[in-house]
Amino acid sequence: MEGLSVADANLVVYLHPSKSRNVSQAILRELGSWLFKFSETFDGVLLAYDVNILDKKAQILSGVHPYFAVKLKANLLLFSPKPDMLIEGKVMKLCQESIHVIVLGFSSAIITAENIRGEFKYRNKDEEELFSSKSHKRHVIKVGTMIRFLVKSFDDEILHITGSLMPAHTGSIRWLDRNLEEFSETDRSATKSRDRESLGGKTVDGGATPLSYNNHIKKSKKRRIAE
């Protein structure tokens, strides 16, 4: 999925002297407070981290509150959706006017009717609301479906995404992946067929197929024996 990235960062964490007895725990708590929040420094939402303390000798900062600084090297997993990126999420609710999605378990997204391509038709079947494709009957979007959609905008304050299902390569992930596999298999079959046709033809590299070339050798040997 696009929008996910891993970054190496050199960080400095400032801790209160009261936390000096257990610096490691204090650092983890501090970094934990950054999780699932948008950071302008990282230009993304912090999802996970792996930390290595570089300098165990903390530097004391003078002032009214004498905090001390600890240098860290961290490996960060960030989520930073940008316009035109393809991301994935689970449909939580839908109606005729919109599809509501949850991304990575924490970020909400909405796809409104004007951003759903005309191929999809809203239906209420057996009291179950869904969008089904008029072109492909098995391409259905309903509550619980994992979908792939395009990012139109991202509100970093409330972690809300506005999405789109206008491109042809968006929709139910299960349906899209199955059809991509079918298309790949079709392409491979077509390639094999072309290869067989070329090998079974009348001209291969020297004006004869491997089979006719072998027959020619056998005939030549027979003529020599007869002579």
Side-chain angles (χ1 to χ4, degrees), residues 22 33 40 69 73 83 99 112 124-125 153-154 177 192:
N22 196 333
S33 68
E40 293 184 358
K73 186 173 182 63
I99 298 175
T112 53
N124 193 322
K125 184 178 179 181
S153 64
F154 175 57
D177 289 350
K192 289 180 180 179

Side-chain angles (χ1 to χ4, degrees), residues 140 165 198:
V140 176
L165 286 174
S198 62

Side-chain angles (χ1 to χ4, degrees), residues 51-163:
V51 178
N52 181 28
I53 300 176
L54 297 178
D55 189 1
K56 294 183 179 180
K57 294 181 179 179
Q59 179 183 357
I60 303 297
L61 302 177
S62 59
V64 179
H65 298 289
Y67 281 72
F68 61 95
V70 181
K71 294 181 180 179
L72 310 172
K73 186 173 182 63
N75 189 246
L76 311 175
L77 176 62
L78 302 170
F79 177 57
S80 183
K82 305 291 184 185
D84 298 328
M85 281 186 175
L86 283 174
I87 63 173
E88 302 168 0
K90 183 178 182 179
V91 176
M92 304 303 292
K93 178 184 176 182
L94 61 77
C95 60
Q96 190 169 1
E97 300 299 325
S98 60
I99 298 175
H100 299 264
V101 184
I102 189 75
V103 179
L104 297 174
F106 75 93
S107 181
S108 62
I110 185 171
I111 304 170
T112 53
E114 60 267 24
N115 292 312
I116 301 174
R117 62 183 181 274
E119 172 191 346
F120 288 105
K121 181 180 179 181
Y122 172 80
R123 297 174 60 191
N124 193 322
K125 184 178 179 181
D126 298 328
E127 298 185 354
E128 182 181 37
E129 295 179 298
L130 54 85
F131 281 92
S132 61
S133 169
K134 293 184 288 187
S135 304
H136 308 281
K137 293 182 179 180
R138 295 185 178 180
H139 194 176
V140 176
I141 297 174
K142 57 185 178 180
V143 172
T145 301
M146 291 295 296
I147 64 171
R148 183 175 296 130
F149 62 97
L150 200 72
V151 176
K152 291 194 68 179
S153 64
F154 175 57
D155 188 327
D156 55 33
E157 291 186 3
I158 59 174
L159 307 182
H160 183 76
I161 301 167
T162 301

Side-chain angles (χ1 to χ4, degrees), residues 18-36:
S18 62
K19 299 178 180 179
S20 60
R21 292 184 179 180
N22 196 333
V23 174
S24 297
Q25 184 180 21
I27 290 173
L28 293 178
R29 285 182 177 177
E30 181 67 22
L31 293 178
S33 68
W34 300 355
L35 289 172
F36 305 110

